[in-house]
Amino acid sequence: MSLDTPALLRFLTSVHPYDTLPRPALEALLPAFRSRHMAAGEDIYRLGDALEGLYLIHTGAVAVSDQNNVQISQLGPRNSFGERGLGRDGYAVTSARTTEDTLLLILPKSDFLRLVETEEAAKKFFDRSRTPKPKRPDLATSPVETLMAKTPLTCSTSETVQTAAQAMATARVSSVCITEDGALKGIATVRDLSGKVVGGGLPFDTPITDVMTPDPLSLPPSAIGSDVLHMMMERRIGHVPICNGKTLVGIVTQTDLTRFQATSSAELVSEIAHARDAQEMAKTTARIPQLLVQLVGTGNRHEVVTRLITDIADTATRRLLALAEEKFGPPPVPYLWLACGSQGRQEQTGVSDQDNCLMLDDSYSEEHETYFKDFADFVCDGLNTCGYVYCPGDMMASASRWRQPVSVWKTYFKGWIAKPTSEAQMLASVMFDLRPIGGTVSLFEDLQEQTLDLAAKNSIFVAHMVSNSLKHQPPLGLLRGFATIKSGEHKNTLDLKHNGVVPVVDLGRVYALQGGLTAVNTRARLEAAQAAGVLSSSGGRDLLDAYDLIAETRLEHQATQIKAGHAPNNYLAPANLSDFERSHLRDAFVVVKSLQSAAGHGKGMLG
């Protein structure tokens, strides 16, 4: 079976990025495509073969395997493959085999390279590297959706000035939008009520429509901050409704602009550092979701966003440590509070529980237990009040097991390394992400160096940690390349934490152990592993690109949820992604799967 020109054109216009090409460019490309029918079980190419070009599946299915003959992807109609090899030296870096009768469309290498050179849409689609995001713009260039209040106070055209004023007082806002069937009819502000009603001596039962500003100036959701600023300055107004057509969807006030400028990590850190108690701190940490939306919406890279959000948790922890010392008195022996998990790696997002422990100087004795138990409970309870909920696994300093002298901690690590049981692997995975937060840092320095050296020299332990790192697999499957959750509350979604970033986090930890690297942050570990030769140069580039895409997709998903008024989580429905986004995310998961396979076979990624 082959396709005639009209059929090929119809098919390509349903496939990204061909659907975005100018019609003349697409029609000029048609004669270059060759079609090939292959029966189930045939090799399309093997690892190291010279590639004919880019492969596009019209009908059928193809399994792609890595250098260890481990299947890393199952592709269906409208999926492309082979571009990674074409983008390097023209030789296959994977193997591909049909799993059912398949019709392939092949775009020869020369035509493919010319396509990505001349068409920007194709270049963006087939370039799997992540273009660095721009630096954070200022207020004037921020999208209006990151500035506006999404639930403005409204009232109907039948309300009186008294009921409108009462509603404004209850909501503690300075304006009310008058709507009819969702459409904006007018706006009334505190100034209108004071000047026209009180100053004009109007009765309280005056219709709100008599004092409102009818058909007020508004902006669309596509506006940016400078549009709001210019309108306010030019027209001398303090409230700008945001309308999608005639429908009211939000409002921006001068207070919103001030709040936006104040919602920075530095501002939140300052407030927390001077808070009098956990309740006061909680009022500040409650603004973290809005900070995440702002940071993501204004173009910051994922490692910057998570670092800034983690800085706030660090500050909250140190402030609670200081308050604990004020409450219980000076510590009887030196201590060190450490964070593990996402806080330890400086990778917190909008969803974080607490993982921490307490190391005590070896001069500690049982008579000091009451002090440090009360001390740890105070800090952990305070963190919970601030929104860093208790660890479900009780991995917190409030548990006596994780509140011990340094000598006991050394025994812990030696035992885990000597006998890497399943529990030992799990605990070591968490504890290798330790980072000092407050106290006497010297208590940890020798322990970290000794533990890394001991672990790196124990090949059996490292092998078990490698095996442990493969437990979380990327969600690759048949349906558009994804294996979604099959049942329950999050059915038909991808878990971007456990099946997205966690596999990369686990790989980064293994590379750090193998190389004796002290970095704790995942991206820093990958970069250090690449520099140290633990991870090949090409494998490192691919994995960093894949990690960036997955981590940024996760943050963008959480920001979208927050903007919609929902609590953020890690569950993304692939249906909410475009074909372009799905394709790139699938490729990122394939890269992670390839690196997992390489680690499982004791190899580095192909160069």
Side-chain angles (χ1 to χ4, degrees):
M1 172 185 174
S2 61
L3 298 180
D4 58 23
T5 299
L8 177 59
L9 179 61
R10 285 195 300 273
F11 178 69
L12 290 179
T13 53
S14 71
V15 179
H16 200 73
Y18 308 101
D19 59 341
T20 64
L21 299 181
R23 187 61 174 247
L26 180 57
E27 291 179 344
L29 193 64
L30 296 178
F33 276 96
R34 301 198 304 267
S35 60
R36 177 187 300 166
H37 179 268
M38 302 185 73
E42 288 191 61
D43 288 331
I44 301 169
Y45 57 75
R46 301 292 294 172
L47 178 71
D49 288 349
L51 293 169
E52 299 175 75
L54 179 74
Y55 298 86
L56 173 61
I57 303 172
H58 182 268
T59 56
V62 173
V64 178
S65 302
D66 66 8
Q67 68 267 33
N68 299 306
N69 203 32
V70 174
Q71 182 174 318
I72 57 177
S73 188
Q74 176 83 9
L75 307 179
R78 299 167 65 233
N79 282 155
S80 298
F81 59 99
E83 68 272 18
R84 284 180 59 215
L86 293 174
R88 293 185 178 179
D89 53 11
Y91 293 92
V93 296
T94 57
S95 298
R97 184 180 181 87
T98 59
T99 57
E100 57 185 67
D101 287 355
T102 300
L103 178 62
L104 291 176
L105 299 176
I106 304 170
L107 182 62
K109 177 181 177 180
S110 58
D111 296 285
F112 169 74
L113 295 178
R114 188 179 306 112
L115 174 66
V116 296
E117 286 175 2
T118 58
E119 296 296 338
E120 189 64 25
K123 179 180 180 181
K124 288 182 178 180
F125 183 78
F126 290 114
D127 180 6
R128 302 313 188 189
S129 63
R130 292 288 283 165
T131 303
K133 285 191 174 185
K135 293 183 178 179
R136 178 180 183 270
D138 58 18
L139 172 64
T141 57
S142 298
V144 75
E145 66 176 1
T146 66
L147 307 173
M148 71 183 190
K150 298 175 180 59
T151 54
L153 179 67
T154 63
C155 72
S156 69
T157 53
S158 62
E159 299 291 343
T160 66
V161 294
Q162 183 178 40
T163 55
Q166 290 172 339
M168 291 165 63
T170 300
R172 296 184 178 181
V173 295
S174 57
S175 65
V176 59
C177 292
I178 295 83
T179 61
E180 189 173 276
D181 296 327
L184 180 66
K185 296 298 181 180
I187 187 171
T189 66
V190 170
R191 181 175 295 180
D192 291 325
L193 297 181
S194 62
K196 298 177 182 178
V197 179
V198 179
L202 296 178
F204 291 167
D205 59 357
T206 300
I208 189 66
T209 51
D210 287 359
V211 299
M212 72 179 188
T213 299
D215 300 318
L217 295 167
S218 64
L219 288 170
S222 59
I224 59 176
S226 59
D227 298 325
V228 178
L229 290 168
H230 294 166
M231 182 175 285
M232 286 183 172
M233 294 300 102
E234 180 182 357
R235 305 303 180 95
R236 295 187 179 183
I237 56 177
H239 304 76
V240 178
I242 307 300
C243 294
N244 188 0
K246 294 182 179 181
T247 303
L248 178 70
V249 295
I251 190 169
V252 180
T253 68
Q254 289 179 335
T255 301
D256 293 322
L257 300 184
T258 301
R259 184 183 298 115
F260 179 91
Q261 291 174 305
T263 303
S264 69
S265 59
E267 181 71 19
L268 269 59
V269 163
S270 177
E271 291 179 12
I272 290 172
H274 297 91
R276 292 168 294 182
D277 52 39
Q279 287 71 28
E280 187 174 329
M281 293 163 60
K283 295 178 181 178
T284 300
T285 55
R287 291 157 54 197
I288 290 176
Q290 183 56 43
L291 174 65
L292 185 146
V293 170
Q294 180 175 317
L295 292 173
V296 172
T298 51
N300 290 277
R301 289 177 58 89
H302 71 93
E303 67 268 28
V304 174
V305 178
T306 55
R307 172 64 181 270
L308 294 176
I309 290 177
T310 304
D311 284 348
I312 297 169
D314 290 355
T315 304
T317 304
R318 283 190 288 269
R319 181 58 182 151
L320 287 167
L321 292 173
L323 291 172
E325 290 191 24
E326 289 179 13
K327 180 178 178 66
F328 302 112
V333 299
Y335 73 86
L336 178 63
W337 189 282
L338 302 101
C340 44
S342 60
Q343 184 183 359
R345 297 189 305 273
Q346 295 180 300
E347 294 167 6
Q348 287 191 317
T349 66
V351 186
S352 297
D353 56 10
Q354 56 175 293
D355 295 286
N356 48 61
C357 65
L358 194 58
M359 290 185 180
L360 307 171
D361 187 83
D362 281 336
S363 59
Y364 167 87
S365 64
E366 288 186 8
E367 64 187 80
H368 304 139
E369 170 61 13
T370 299
Y371 175 92
F372 283 112
K373 182 183 187 308
D374 293 342
F375 184 94
D377 286 345
F378 178 89
V379 177
C380 290
D381 290 345
L383 288 172
N384 184 69
T385 298
C386 291
Y388 305 102
V389 298
Y390 298 122
C391 173
D394 205 28
M395 192 166 285
M396 300 177 292
S398 54
S400 60
R401 186 182 187 184
W402 310 124
R403 185 180 66 249
Q404 295 291 335
V406 173
S407 58
V408 175
W409 280 101
K410 289 181 178 179
T411 301
Y412 284 167
F413 279 104
K414 287 180 181 178
W416 296 334
I417 294 169
K419 295 181 179 180
T421 63
S422 296
E423 183 190 35
Q425 294 170 43
M426 183 274 291
L427 294 174
S429 295
V430 175
M431 293 302 173
F432 276 122
D433 294 348
L434 286 174
R435 182 172 59 88
I437 302 297
T440 306
V441 178
S442 60
L443 294 177
F444 180 63
E445 290 173 345
D446 290 343
L447 176 61
Q448 182 187 37
E449 183 177 342
Q450 293 170 10
T451 301
L452 282 174
D453 183 60
L454 189 65
K457 290 178 179 178
N458 190 317
S459 58
I460 295 177
F461 173 76
V462 173
H464 277 279
M465 290 298 291
V466 170
S467 177
N468 188 62
S469 73
L470 306 180
K471 290 181 178 178
H472 294 98
Q473 295 285 321
L476 292 168
L478 294 174
L479 183 59
R480 288 185 179 254
F482 294 123
T484 57
I485 296 172
K486 300 302 181 186
S487 61
E489 179 185 358
H490 304 296
K491 183 179 180 181
N492 297 327
T493 66
L494 304 173
D495 186 342
L496 292 179
K497 177 181 178 181
H498 292 103
N499 301 114
V501 297
V502 167
V504 186
V505 169
D506 289 343
L507 283 173
R509 189 182 298 111
V510 167
Y511 298 143
L513 286 175
Q514 292 174 329
L517 309 173
T518 58
V520 176
N521 174 265
T522 297
R523 204 175 197 286
R525 279 172 167 168
L526 299 181
E527 291 173 341
Q530 189 178 11
V534 177
L535 179 61
S536 71
S537 178
S538 60
R541 287 196 304 269
D542 283 347
L543 189 54
L544 282 167
D545 287 341
Y547 178 54
D548 288 344
L549 177 58
I550 296 167
E552 287 175 6
T553 299
R554 180 191 185 198
L555 284 179
E556 288 162 2
H557 166 65
Q558 292 187 3
T560 298
Q561 290 181 301
I562 294 167
K563 287 186 289 186
H566 305 307
N569 63 31
N570 295 299
Y571 301 98
L572 171 68
N576 293 335
L577 299 174
S578 66
D579 282 351
F580 176 87
E581 293 168 326
R582 279 194 295 269
S583 179
H584 277 275
L585 188 59
R586 175 182 60 80
D587 284 346
F589 289 144
V590 167
V591 168
V592 177
K593 178 74 172 179
S594 298
L595 265 294
Q596 285 185 322
S597 176
H601 287 79
K603 303 174 183 178
M605 182 84 170
L606 283 176

